[in-house]
Amino acid sequence: MQQANWIALFVMSCAASAGSLAQATVIGSASGDLGAFRYDGLGDISISRPGQGVGIYTLGTCTSAVESTTCELSGNYTESAGSDGTAGGSGTFSFRMIYPGTDISPVLAVSRTPGSDELFLLQLRGGRFVLDLFPVIGDPIMGIFPDDPFEYSIGFSAFLAPGATCTGIAAQDCRIGLVGLTPDSSISGRVNLFSFSIPTRPGNTEVPEPGTLALLGLGLLGLGLGRRRKS
């Protein structure tokens, strides 16, 4: 019998192109019980993408304050061999999805193709993503999405552990592509693998104010959700 792991994949490439700002990229990953994931289906509501389900996307365990909600993944990370930081270096991380208000997430995602379990960002609607690294050796490193200039925006992916559960849909249909096509249904689970890339800017660890993050509704970017199977 096969089990399904769910993957959230950020599809924007952070590599610097010719003529863009010179930058190094810190790359790493983390595993363990890192936080929660939830996707609430809204149905086939995208006029430009018929048959592709749309839903509300939440990544991280959420807490609400007076005017905003923060959803967080956290744990220990290790830098990968391709990192421009310290390959094999380690530390702790905090990845936060932040959005205005104390209600459900406003961030919309859409299936890549009809019925697909891969999701791409449809609209941020005030949401943003912040990643902080706290290495054992060296200074903290911070990145965000979307950043300004855009070349400094982070990339990330997150796998969900087997055992994701659904409401409002038959058990045999419990997958992202069908949840997105079914209004008032949802799928939720726990994230057990997170990877990231942070283009760094020397001497600057400040996060721009939300008013500077006007890059909303970027259809060419995305948070993707797909399935990885193992025996």
Side-chain angles (χ1 to χ4, degrees), residues 37-89:
F37 163 79
R38 182 180 173 108
Y39 181 62
D40 292 273
L42 297 177
D44 182 7
I45 65 172
S46 178
I47 298 175
S48 63
R49 299 175 175 88
Q52 296 169 240
V54 174
I56 296 170
Y57 181 98
T58 306
L59 187 59
T61 302
C62 301
T63 56
S64 295
V66 176
E67 297 181 347
S68 65
T69 298
T70 299
C71 305
E72 182 181 30
L73 301 178
S74 61
N76 300 314
Y77 76 89
T78 302
E79 287 191 45
S80 66
S83 177
D84 290 322
T86 304

Side-chain angles (χ1 to χ4, degrees), residues 70 121 190 196 212 224:
T70 299
L121 181 67
R190 302 293 296 179
F196 61 84
T212 69

Side-chain angles (χ1 to χ4, degrees), residues 150-170:
F150 192 75
E151 287 86 348
Y152 289 117
S153 296
I154 61 173
F156 56 88
S157 60
F159 287 86
L160 300 194
T165 59
C166 288
T167 61
I169 195 169

Side-chain angles (χ1 to χ4, degrees), residues 119-142:
L119 296 177
F120 284 81
L121 181 67
L122 186 62
Q123 290 183 350
L124 285 173
R125 301 199 297 179
R128 59 181 175 134
F129 299 90
V130 180
L131 175 59
D132 289 307
L133 304 181
F134 304 97
V136 173
I137 300 174
D139 296 327
I141 301 169
M142 179 179 290

Side-chain angles (χ1 to χ4, degrees), residues 15-231:
S17 60
S20 66
L21 297 172
Q23 59 195 45
T25 303
V26 177
I27 304 170
S29 62
S31 60
D33 186 3
L34 305 175
F37 163 79
R38 182 180 173 108
Y39 181 62
D40 292 273
L42 297 177
D44 182 7
I45 65 172
S46 178
I47 298 175
S48 63
R49 299 175 175 88
Q52 296 169 240
V54 174
I56 296 170
Y57 181 98
T58 306
L59 187 59
T61 302
C62 301
T63 56
S64 295
V66 176
E67 297 181 347
S68 65
T69 298
T70 299
C71 305
E72 182 181 30
L73 301 178
S74 61
N76 300 314
Y77 76 89
T78 302
E79 287 191 45
S80 66
S83 177
D84 290 322
T86 304
S90 62
T92 60
F93 81 95
S94 171
F95 174 79
R96 286 160 289 150
M97 173 181 176
I98 304 169
Y99 60 85
T102 58
D103 204 347
I104 60 174
S105 164
V107 178
L108 294 181
V110 60
S111 287
R112 181 176 184 177
T113 57
S116 172
D117 296 324
E118 291 186 69
L119 296 177
F120 284 81
L121 181 67
L122 186 62
Q123 290 183 350
L124 285 173
R125 301 199 297 179
R128 59 181 175 134
F129 299 90
V130 180
L131 175 59
D132 289 307
L133 304 181
F134 304 97
V136 173
I137 300 174
D139 296 327
I141 301 169
M142 179 179 290
I144 66 173
F145 175 80
D147 204 345
D148 184 15
F150 192 75
E151 287 86 348
Y152 289 117
S153 296
I154 61 173
F156 56 88
S157 60
F159 287 86
L160 300 194
T165 59
C166 288
T167 61
I169 195 169
Q172 66 269 23
D173 295 330
C174 184
R175 62 182 184 85
I176 289 166
L178 294 180
V179 166
L181 288 168
T182 307
D184 301 319
S185 67
S186 69
I187 182 170
S188 59
R190 302 293 296 179
V191 175
N192 68 350
L193 178 62
F194 178 79
S195 61
F196 61 84
S197 61
I198 304 181
T200 59
R201 37 171 120 214
N204 182 9
T205 58
E206 296 183 0
V207 175
E209 292 299 318
T212 69
L213 304 178
L215 304 176
L216 306 183
L218 299 175
L220 70 162
L221 308 176
L223 296 173
L225 291 176
R227 256 192 321 194
R228 182 184 67 180
R229 295 190 179 273
K230 65 180 181 180
S231 300

